[in-house]
Amino acid sequence: MGYRVVVAGATGNVGREMLNILAERQFPVDEIAALASRKSLGTEVSFGDKTLNTQDIDQFDFAGWDMALFAIGSEATKKYAPVAAAAGCVVIDNSSLYRYDPDVPLIVPEVNADAIEGYSKKNIIANPNCSTAQMVVALKPLHDRARIKRVVVSTYQSVSGAGKEAIDELWDQTKGMYVPGQEVAPKKFTKQIAFNVIPHIDVFMEDGSTKEEWKMVAETKKILDPSIRVTATCVRVPVFVGHSEAINIEFEDHLDEDEARDILREAPGILVVDKREDGGYVTPVECVGDYATFISRIRQDSTIDNGLNLWCVSDNLRKGAALNAVQIAEVLGNRVLKKG
Ligand SMILES: NC(=O)c1ccc[n+]([C@@H]2O[C@H](COP(=O)([O-])OP(=O)(O)OC[C@H]3O[C@@H](n4cnc5c(N)ncnc54)[C@H](OP(=O)(O)O)[C@@H]3O)[C@@H](O)[C@H]2O)c1
């Protein structure tokens, strides 16, 4: 016996990946519904070797469905997640709407799967920001060994993290650079993204940081440990899929780079590719379609007593969103609903 599963936002980047990953991992599905906005009514989406017709979320009755994986943005989530949850369908949400709600668990299964028990307060579970998800996977095993005090992270985030229109903007702007008269002005981004980098993701906060940077701080504390101090600079780069991060970590205890490499090699969800030679590291184009968080360039930071630097790359549509949501669904199924 399996589950009756809803995927909301099935026509979007994350929604399509959730359908792919549910099929790839042979999630025990008895019935599946693909939802999006009214304008996508009838749009065909793939689920393994099946084709599903997208339904209008506004007309959908969530009663009798076990779980709904949402990827429809915060505004629509605000309207529909409480409806699904009240109907007894557990929502696993990709938006930022519920991530900081104390009554909603924020989960990365490799780090804090036990937090699943808190789902019942609202029947909602939150999925973290893409940049946070891959970073906490890398930090957790190192924190367990040597206690992390402080993290300084710079991100190099792909355009797919900003939705399907952002992918089109990079593509069209890049093509437009070569055809006189067909230049494409910035619309989704604040400045030209083709052949450029933009040190601005999400809105500005009062202290001068951006909301994306704030999310990395707040979410790392909620998922991993509130005592860890994090400072982040988040940058959009002209890459289609795959987020990269340069992470500097300060520990309470000494941690040798070789021991850190061994710990990371054994850790769940991580693949270490760290050869000190040309090409002996992972770049975003190589992580696309993969489940792993890749770690390269592990080295001591000799400017502080107990410091390490590393390079972390992952598919933002997978570990950063869809894969993590499906992993949460697996934990929910195995530990709580127990139907599969
Ligand atoms: N991309 C990432 O790396 C990433 C990572 C973590 C979290 N997220 C979050 O995941 C969510 C989706 O992101 P995405 O990248 O997949 O965006 P996207 O490609 O732009 O897709 C958005 C999806 O939401 C649907 N939608 C929008 N408004 C709706 C409404 N009022 N009612 C019903 N459906 C609606 C769209 O349906 P239509 O096609 O019918 O408009 C589409 O299926 C966002 O909350 C985002 O913050 C994304």
Side-chain angles (χ1 to χ4, degrees):
M1 190 175 160
Y3 298 95
R4 298 186 76 217
V5 180
V6 177
V7 173
T11 52
N13 287 329
V14 176
R16 285 178 193 272
E17 280 295 344
M18 291 197 295
L19 287 166
N20 290 338
I21 293 171
L22 285 165
E24 277 168 29
R25 291 170 76 93
Q26 298 182 333
F27 188 82
V29 170
D30 270 0
E31 195 178 349
I32 190 152
L35 312 183
S37 74
R38 186 163 307 157
K39 78 171 167 33
S40 300
L41 183 67
T43 300
E44 292 186 345
V45 292
S46 299
F47 174 59
D49 53 12
K50 294 192 186 72
T51 300
L52 309 175
N53 286 313
T54 305
Q55 303 177 53
D56 175 5
I57 195 170
D58 211 40
Q59 301 296 316
F60 189 75
D61 180 3
F62 287 90
W65 292 82
D66 296 300
M67 55 180 89
L69 281 62
F70 269 52
I72 57 175
S74 292
E75 213 175 300
T77 301
K78 201 174 188 172
K79 184 168 177 194
Y80 298 109
V83 175
C89 174
V90 182
V91 173
I92 299 170
D93 179 35
N94 276 285
S95 82
S96 59
L97 186 68
Y98 292 103
R99 288 182 195 153
Y100 319 108
D101 183 330
D103 291 337
V104 172
L106 177 64
I107 298 180
V108 174
E110 293 88 342
V111 180
N112 66 336
D114 291 346
I116 195 83
E117 303 301 336
Y119 88 98
S120 58
K121 287 188 189 146
K122 286 201 168 157
N123 246 6
I124 297 173
I125 302 163
N127 206 29
N129 177 263
C130 36
S131 308
T132 312
Q134 68 185 69
M135 184 170 82
V136 295
V137 168
L139 296 181
K140 162 76 173 161
L142 302 176
H143 185 53
D144 287 347
R145 160 63 182 80
R147 307 300 302 165
I148 295 173
K149 283 164 62 174
R150 179 170 184 256
V151 174
V152 182
V153 57
S154 301
T155 70
Y156 308 75
Q157 297 181 221
S158 66
V159 294
S160 58
K164 53 192 177 184
E165 289 164 18
I167 294 180
D168 292 343
E169 186 157 316
L170 173 58
W171 178 243
D172 294 340
Q173 223 170 54
T174 305
K175 284 190 299 180
M177 304 291 277
Y178 295 100
V179 188
Q182 289 197 15
E183 295 83 5
V184 174
K187 199 165 136 209
K188 184 80 189 172
F189 296 109
T190 51
K191 299 211 178 200
Q192 174 188 317
I193 185 64
F195 307 103
N196 201 10
V197 298
I198 306 173
H200 171 195
I201 301 179
D202 210 332
V203 296
F204 275 93
M205 314 278 289
E206 254 178 34
D207 68 355
S209 61
T210 63
K211 187 86 183 279
E212 185 81 354
E213 291 156 357
W214 177 86
K215 285 175 189 168
M216 290 193 80
V217 177
E219 294 178 22
T220 302
K221 285 177 182 290
K222 183 165 175 180
I223 298 164
L224 186 53
D225 188 334
S227 72
I228 296 177
R229 288 177 295 153
V230 179
T231 181
T233 301
C234 293
V235 180
R236 190 72 70 189
V237 298
V239 167
F240 284 108
V241 179
H243 285 2
S244 308
E245 297 173 345
I247 309 177
N248 175 266
I249 312 164
E250 184 176 2
F251 299 93
E252 272 174 27
D253 304 327
H254 182 72
L255 179 58
D256 173 77
E257 61 189 20
D258 292 327
E259 188 186 348
R261 199 172 292 109
D262 289 343
I263 289 170
L264 291 167
R265 278 208 176 98
E266 297 299 314
I270 291 177
L271 265 177
V272 174
V273 178
D274 192 19
K275 294 187 196 142
R276 293 176 173 183
E277 61 187 39
D278 292 355
Y281 40 80
V282 171
T283 59
V285 292
E286 295 155 290
C287 78
V288 177
D290 231 304
Y291 288 159
T293 294
F294 293 90
I295 311 285
S296 307
R297 306 285 326 276
I298 303 161
R299 62 208 190 276
Q300 227 76 46
D301 172 5
S302 60
T303 65
I304 49 175
D305 286 341
N306 301 319
L308 281 179
N309 286 304
L310 53 85
W311 174 249
C312 173
V313 176
S314 198
D315 181 330
N316 53 295
L317 298 178
R318 292 206 151 206
K319 187 58 200 168
L323 171 63
N324 200 69
V326 173
Q327 287 177 297
I328 294 173
E330 289 168 349
V331 175
L332 181 71
N334 292 336
R335 295 200 190 182
V336 182
L337 305 180
K338 296 183 177 162
K339 267 189 175 180

